[in-house]
Amino acid sequence: METGNRLNLVTAFIVILAGTGSDHQLSKWSAKACEQHTGMGKPRAKVAIVELIEHGFVAHSERSTKLYPQYRLPPIPLDSDPIFLPVAMITGIEAEASMLRRVRETGDPLLLRMLVDLYGLVQLDATFGVPITALSETPPTDYPSRKVFELGVHSVWAMRLGGSKTAKGAWASYHRTESRSNDKAWEDFWPRVAMLEKIGAIWYEAWIFDSDEPDAEPLFPVDFAALYHQGEGDDVTQLTRTMLDAAANLSEERSDLLGRYGLDMLVTLAQHRRAPGIRGVARMRIEADTPGRRLSYYKRRTQIEIYEAGYTQIALDALRGEYNRPMNTAAPQ
């Protein structure tokens, strides 16, 4: 498809789409909205919109006028799998520049494609993030999960995250440069991922999984900052501290266990469970309040409450010298 500026073309389309209602059909957002939300000047925005019309992506509605333009978008096919982009990604939040404006300011149209791709990958489980097979922060290769000790029905594992990341799948292949050798094919991919991190579009949340396999189930999030800082925190911080207290109470060397493993997350699980895994789940900073998101956060909240109660019980049992009651991780009925 011929276009004078591909980034402006796609940016203008996303802005017009953000101005539609629940049926995603009619929009009154035009060149002015492009200028307001993305910094694209009206002359460039008008050129981009003309190109959108020429290529059939939008059309003037029957009520559209030159002074008050209105656009109609093609109906969404029933068998399609649309990607949901939150309006706040286009309009921004509070006094911040919008993510769409920040991406456009880089001048890289494939960065916008990567951002949209990542939104399309978000899965509706408790992490509400990108699948760990597609993009995630990984543990150090020379430091896998290792068992610290066993006591009664409990095993305590030491785990840590590294600074490295991994990516796989068709979405990643699209952003690779196939014409280059294997060692250079990712030269454009990782700088784009880093740029999305720099502009605040994505971040990584540490999660404990039931294994290090690609299809591992997420158990609960943890906060590594809780290893170093006391004081108030959110529910994840509180869960992490309770989990660390449980490990310390189980240890015969309670006084220095946390000191000796200061860089590690000490995770207590039942002995029958396989070795757990840890990953940094890629999360989108701007999320929309959709039914899917609310369901995911209900799952997240439930799992945090289950493990919070379980670790509290383990810590109390250990103070009484009782080590034979396994944690109940079943969701309440």
Side-chain angles (χ1 to χ4, degrees), residues 26 59-65 68 70-72:
L26 293 175
H60 285 291
S61 73
E62 59 277 5
R63 295 186 178 182
S64 180
T65 65
Y68 299 105
Q70 185 182 66
Y71 305 100
R72 181 178 297 278

Side-chain angles (χ1 to χ4, degrees), residues 264-328:
D264 298 292
M265 192 60 64
L266 297 177
V267 180
T268 301
L269 294 172
Q271 276 198 36
H272 70 269
R273 303 192 72 146
R274 56 184 171 174
I278 187 169
R279 289 290 187 101
V281 176
R283 297 277 309 276
M284 312 308 295
R285 179 164 174 256
I286 297 181
E287 301 170 346
D289 187 20
T290 62
R293 180 178 183 270
R294 291 193 291 271
L295 176 61
S296 291
Y297 271 77
Y298 172 77
K299 293 177 182 177
R300 172 195 176 95
R301 181 64 246 173
T302 298
Q303 290 181 215
I304 288 176
E305 290 175 351
I306 288 172
Y307 281 93
E308 169 79 17
Y311 286 123
T312 298
Q313 189 62 57
I314 289 175
L316 294 174
D317 287 348
L319 291 176
R320 295 191 291 264
E322 300 175 3
Y323 311 111
N324 294 315
R325 176 157 46 168
M327 185 193 309
N328 180 12

Side-chain angles (χ1 to χ4, degrees), residues 15 29-38 40 42 45-46 49:
V15 170
W29 287 19
S30 190
K32 181 179 179 180
C34 291
E35 182 177 49
Q36 177 182 353
H37 299 307
T38 73
M40 186 192 311
K42 286 184 180 179
K46 289 179 179 178
I49 292 172

Side-chain angles (χ1 to χ4, degrees), residues 206-281:
W207 272 78
I208 305 300
F209 288 79
D210 69 352
S211 76
D212 60 359
E213 299 296 327
D215 60 349
E217 289 291 339
L219 299 182
F220 51 87
V222 291
D223 178 13
F224 272 86
L227 298 173
Y228 316 108
H229 305 291
Q230 297 299 320
E232 296 184 1
D234 59 12
D235 53 355
V236 178
T237 305
Q238 183 57 47
L239 168 60
T240 304
R241 289 174 178 158
T242 304
M243 181 178 65
L244 295 173
D245 288 342
N249 286 3
L250 286 172
S251 172
E252 295 178 356
E253 302 171 339
R254 294 178 178 85
S255 60
D256 64 348
L257 178 71
L258 299 183
R260 287 189 291 113
Y261 291 92
L263 297 177
D264 298 292
M265 192 60 64
L266 297 177
V267 180
T268 301
L269 294 172
Q271 276 198 36
H272 70 269
R273 303 192 72 146
R274 56 184 171 174
I278 187 169
R279 289 290 187 101
V281 176

